[in-house]
Amino acid sequence: MATTACFIIVSRNDIPIYEAEVGSAAKLHQFILHAALDIVQDIAWTTSAMFLKAIDRFNDLVVSVYVTAGHTRLMLLHDSRNDDGIKSFFQEVHELYIKVLLNPLYLPGSRIASSHFDTKVRALARKYL
Amino acid sequence: MIGVGKIKQYSNVLDKPLSKGKQEVSLSAFAFLFSELVQYNQTQVDNIAELERRLEDAGYAVGARVLELLCHRDKGNRRETRLLGILSFVHSTVWKVLFGKVADSLEKGTEHEDEYMISEKELLVNRFISIPKDMGTFNCGAFVAGIVRGVLDSAGFPAVVTAHFVPMEGQQRPRTTILIKFAEEFRLPSYEDSVHMTTLHRRNALGDIFEANNCSYQSTTKRSKVRLIYVPGLITCNVYDAQQEHDECVNALQQHGEGW
């Protein structure tokens, strides 16, 4: 089960607001995700779908991205090929993100510090990845 | 007891499901709340421009959230990538959810290419507000202008949005117009080109470093032209700033020398 995966949420201003790692953590993961941001920005304007499938590869790791309406990017670096599971994972995290965003005291673009959010994301990761 | 249902209690708001959006709020409750918002802001500022700005900022926060919520709930997770698409989204979906009806009209400005106007006979927020003579052209519709600006800005279409009273002949109360003026980049021949130009710098910054140090520079995906090479000793930082990363890359490479 313990596949390698790195999940980050990047806000519209290119600031990461949430990070989570499953399996072995490496600085390399964040580097790859950051470099993939350019590609995401190009592709995001060509399609109106939210789930952009695998957009970049590095060795055997694949970067998949889900862009929300407010241009918040949910980016996942993983080594599995489970497209449907990843899509469901993104959709569930998207709902969680909307619930966090609806909080009037949450400043959009700031770090998500809620530990409950963290617990739920990790539970979803175990379930779908 | 028979027939009594128990509402499920959730310990945390993240566990509660998102509402379906069928609830209604009493108009008088909203009118009281909004009038209190305006009165509170009046005590905090010295001039009208500042008051308008504060109402706009309050609306901006609403707009950013409304966009995400409605795209998820009503549009089945489809984003808007075209200007007319987002304008008609604001004009119909957003107005319908917030005010119970679509806006009266959406027009394109004749004098300037990038101006659009949403008109309404009487904004819901202005229904129970009267402006004293000494406040001149102040319009509490600045709150609604802020909502529109929040929606457009979050969707990636930066604009300046203002609310104006437009007197109509034959009618006692003036019509309200929300004027949307989009930012500079929309005047370029192709919006996609301008977005492309501003984002290339990040990839090029890394590409230049690799080329300058005689590393291979090759395409692996259909779209990108840069292959990432893991530079041993490169420190990644959590501040996603292209210039800073450029400098850090250069430093790391200089430290590492020519060994690789």
Side-chain angles (χ1 to χ4, degrees), chain A residues 12 14 30-31 34 38 41-42 44 47-49 56-58 68 70-71 99 101 103 106 116 120, chain B residues 12 14-16 65 68 71-72 78-79 81 153-155 196 199 202-203 220-221 228 236 238 240 245:
Chain A
R12 195 159 51 89
D14 293 339
Q30 291 181 353
F31 185 69
H34 167 48
D38 267 340
Q41 216 155 347
D42 284 344
T47 170
S48 74
D56 197 14
R57 279 194 311 279
F58 181 80
T68 70
H71 279 270
K99 288 178 203 168
L101 184 68
N103 179 0
Y106 168 74
H116 199 83
K120 294 211 74 140
Chain B
N12 190 301
L14 286 177
D15 295 322
K16 249 165 78 158
R65 291 163 169 87
E68 284 270 1
C71 275
H72 175 75
R78 310 293 299 175
R79 288 179 297 114
T81 46
D153 216 23
S154 300
H196 200 69
T199 57
R202 193 191 285 125
R203 219 185 301 160
T220 52
T221 68
L228 262 297
T236 61
N238 272 337
Y240 283 29
E245 177 132 349

Side-chain angles (χ1 to χ4, degrees), chain A residues 74-86:
Chain A
L74 316 182
M75 307 181 69
L76 182 68
L77 180 74
H78 56 93
D79 52 4
S80 64
R81 292 280 175 274
N82 182 5
D83 249 1
D84 282 332
I86 291 171

Side-chain angles (χ1 to χ4, degrees), chain B residues 195-208:
Chain B
V195 170
H196 200 69
M197 282 191 286
T198 55
T199 57
L200 270 180
H201 77 277
R202 193 191 285 125
R203 219 185 301 160
N204 282 345
L206 293 171
D208 287 344

Side-chain angles (χ1 to χ4, degrees), chain B residues 107-157:
Chain B
E107 293 148 10
K108 188 164 149 64
T110 42
E111 296 139 43
H112 304 277
E113 266 307 301
D114 49 0
E115 276 184 6
Y116 291 83
M117 288 160 299
I118 295 182
S119 301
E120 184 86 33
K121 187 147 165 273
E122 168 132 49
L123 277 180
L124 192 81
V125 301
N126 280 342
R127 187 119 67 109
F128 301 112
I129 294 184
S130 63
I131 316 281
K133 284 280 185 300
D134 58 350
M135 288 204 130
T137 55
F138 173 65
N139 190 339
C140 285
F143 181 69
V144 177
I147 295 178
V148 175
R149 189 168 69 93
V151 171
L152 292 175
D153 216 23
S154 300
F157 299 92

Side-chain angles (χ1 to χ4, degrees), chain A residues 50-61:
Chain A
M50 285 196 177
F51 178 52
L52 315 172
K53 299 195 196 60
I55 55 153
D56 197 14
R57 279 194 311 279
F58 181 80
N59 294 345
D60 59 340
L61 298 169

